Amino acid sequence: MNPLDRRDFLTRMTLAAAALSLPHYGFSSIGRADDFVTTDTTYGRLRGARKDGVNLFKGIPYGGRISGDRRFRRPATLEPWTGVRDALEFGAPAMQGPRRNEPAPSEDCLFLNVWTPANDSKKRPVMFYSHGGGFVGGSGAAGGQDGSNLARNFDVVVVETNHRLGLLGFLYLDELAGSDYAGSGNMGMFDIVDGLKWVHDNIAQFGGDPNNVMIWGESGGGAKTSCLYAMPSAAPYFNKASIESGPGVRMASKEIAAETTAMLFRELNIAPKNWRKLLDIPAADLLAMQAKLPFAPPFQEKNNKKSLMERRAGGFGPVVDGVALPHNPFDPTAPTISRDKPLLVGWNEDEFTFFAWERKDTEFAKLTFETLPKQLETQFGENTPQIIETYRKANPNATAPDIFIAVSSITMMGLGSVDIAEKKVKQGGAPVYLYNFGYKSEKKIPGTDYAMGTPHAMDISFKFNNEIPPRDGSAPKESFFGGNRPERFTASHHFAELWTTFARTGKPAAKDVPAWPAYNLKDRPTMRIDTTCEVIDNRFSQELAMWRSIGKV
């Protein structure tokens, strides 16, 4: 049992996406809609469904074909339709393993979903969400992300896309395939930009304001948001952003992406000059080959030996190609292109308990202060004694498992989040707000007496305000991660109100929540989100000073 390092992260995000598709978080069925509603778009008329005060349009195509001769390229032109097209069923997710309660994955996957209080002329803020799952899994219909409660309770419009993932979305062919394949290493990101352009052109018909769009996302969706924040093609289509438990500070270089492509050709026994053979291989076979390649982190971090960790070849994600993604999203600085766009960034306090749960790891809960060093040395080497000493001093009542979880969680998601916040402040533009989500679930990790706390991905159902009592007055069901305590409903409302207010105004605020000051390098204020929220200055000051001293921030 070892700490989860960034090289393992991408694999785990695929599994996380599958795990969070369980029926505990299922979307409302449209089969018993209160009524149907139609609206116009630039491509034709759509029919959606109205239920419980929300209009939901599912499976709206926003791009054309990306299979056949369009594989690894920009989509074919989306052709308009005549008559009224039903938008009552979710569209196919990108190629991946089967997903619960969703259509079969397909190479042609450019669909989006819209939740709105009404298709009227009211200019509501638009919350454009990128799903998690690293860069290899997930969809815009993933469990926990139902936008109904946000739309109904906070008068916003929610949009979620499917987009290319993995090898089909991020295989770097620019140096082999010619101008038609320019930007091939970022096709999955270009798809999201196309979704944003669709919003710009059409969302007014759904009661949304095309000039007030917030991009946001958790885990892999946070890393996607980090990239969008730095992409010139995305810049005209959003006004603010939120990066949640997925700080995408650095992405793959062209050199590493080219090595990954060469690795794929070797595995397929294809000479690079014969790259066109990739167009004839069934998508399912490419997916199987993707699973055989080594995984690499979707983003990179500092280590204590050199300024940047060299990412190993393998794995698929955005490429710093100098054009689509001109530079690393937040290295060496925050992107100038988004200087004037407010930003939220943060992480969950106990991120790592999710991965212990997912891997059925019970050994961490048996750690003692005698055995803890061995578990951390694999990742931190000679710095391990200093790390443990610092955490024991800063957290005198913490057990050895507590320290293991704290160290693993902050290195996974926290240090990159702080790095982003600091670089945004140094830029001197729009404000950045740093947060920690801290509501504690009492659910135990199976096989242990250790509570989940605030695991990775638990924030999804909270920030979408999907932790609420049933509307029919029946007894609440246990939340998949959030447990049984009714206090979770208050924490969920705080989280959702803070985010929707930020979407509306560019400044997060909520009733019964203290004023949230923008992050600065003097007080370093952090909002801790819980049943009772509080602003904490210089949070984790001892721990962060230590991480800086060994070059991790």
Side-chain angles (χ1 to χ4, degrees), residues 340-360:
D340 297 324
K341 297 179 179 182
L343 180 66
L344 281 170
V345 63
W347 74 100
N348 298 353
E349 289 178 351
D350 307 302
E351 299 273 0
F352 189 80
T353 58
F354 171 91
F355 300 96
W357 164 81
E358 177 269 319
R359 293 190 293 177
K360 298 180 173 59

Side-chain angles (χ1 to χ4, degrees), residues 225-232 238 323-330 335 337-338:
T225 303
S226 301
C227 291
L228 292 170
Y229 204 70
M231 290 180 67
F238 73 93
V323 182
L325 189 58
H327 47 73
N328 283 304
F330 286 93
I337 198 169
S338 290

Side-chain angles (χ1 to χ4, degrees), residues 33-344:
D34 299 331
D35 200 357
F36 295 100
V37 59
T38 59
T39 194
D40 290 316
T41 73
T42 52
Y43 295 99
R45 196 156 181 82
L46 292 171
R47 183 174 79 140
R50 184 166 184 82
K51 185 175 181 181
D52 296 333
V54 175
N55 295 348
L56 172 54
F57 294 80
K58 297 179 175 180
I60 303 171
Y62 69 90
R65 180 174 53 83
I66 46 176
S67 59
D69 63 350
R70 307 305 297 195
R71 180 181 283 176
F72 310 123
R73 296 174 61 190
R74 298 303 298 271
T77 300
L78 178 61
E79 298 296 332
W81 57 85
T82 58
V84 180
R85 179 186 177 117
D86 277 348
L88 304 174
E89 303 292 339
F90 290 118
M95 287 301 297
Q96 58 193 286
R99 299 179 57 79
R100 290 176 182 262
N101 304 320
E102 294 186 42
S106 170
E107 190 165 358
D108 288 312
C109 62
L110 302 187
F111 303 98
L112 58 78
N113 312 309
V114 179
W115 292 258
T116 180
N119 290 71
D120 54 20
S121 59
K122 187 174 179 179
K123 292 185 176 181
R124 298 174 179 86
V126 180
M127 301 181 72
F128 184 100
Y129 188 77
S130 291
H131 66 74
F135 292 100
V136 294
S139 85
Q145 296 169 198
D146 187 333
S148 298
N149 287 333
L150 280 184
R152 178 190 304 110
N153 299 334
F154 299 96
D155 199 34
V156 298
V157 178
V158 180
V159 181
E160 302 177 20
T161 69
N162 295 349
H163 41 266
R164 277 175 281 187
L165 299 169
L167 185 158
L168 290 166
F170 299 100
L171 181 65
Y172 182 68
L173 294 171
D174 290 38
E175 296 166 11
L176 294 173
S179 59
D180 283 349
Y181 294 83
S184 56
N186 289 298
M187 284 298 137
M189 293 305 307
F190 276 133
D191 292 345
I192 302 175
V193 174
D194 287 345
L196 281 166
K197 186 178 186 302
W198 184 95
V199 165
H200 183 268
D201 294 343
N202 292 281
I203 209 65
Q205 298 289 340
F206 295 79
D209 184 354
N211 297 311
N212 190 13
V213 177
M214 168 185 169
I215 56 172
W216 58 315
E218 182 269 348
S219 193
K224 293 167 191 172
T225 303
S226 301
C227 291
L228 292 170
Y229 204 70
M231 290 180 67
S233 59
Y237 303 124
F238 73 93
N239 311 90
K240 55 189 74 70
S242 175
I243 299 167
E244 303 138 17
S245 295
V249 177
R250 304 168 189 88
M251 296 293 150
S253 67
K254 290 189 293 185
E255 293 74 20
I256 291 299
E259 286 183 32
T260 301
T261 301
M263 182 185 298
L264 175 68
F265 285 139
R266 289 194 296 270
E267 291 291 333
L268 291 171
N269 197 27
I270 295 175
K273 67 180 181 180
N274 296 325
W275 64 269
R276 284 189 176 275
K277 290 184 177 181
L278 290 174
L279 305 182
D280 299 322
I281 298 174
D285 292 347
L286 289 178
L287 183 66
M289 180 56 63
Q290 173 182 301
K292 294 179 181 179
L293 296 180
F295 285 97
F299 36 79
Q300 303 162 65
E301 64 178 317
K302 292 183 179 181
N303 68 16
N304 62 333
K305 293 183 179 179
K306 47 191 172 182
S307 59
L308 294 179
M309 177 189 295
E310 290 297 328
R311 170 174 158 170
R312 300 182 304 182
F316 296 94
V319 180
V320 182
D321 61 5
V323 182
L325 189 58
H327 47 73
N328 283 304
F330 286 93
D331 185 71
T333 62
T336 303
I337 198 169
S338 290
R339 182 182 185 276
D340 297 324
K341 297 179 179 182
L343 180 66
L344 281 170

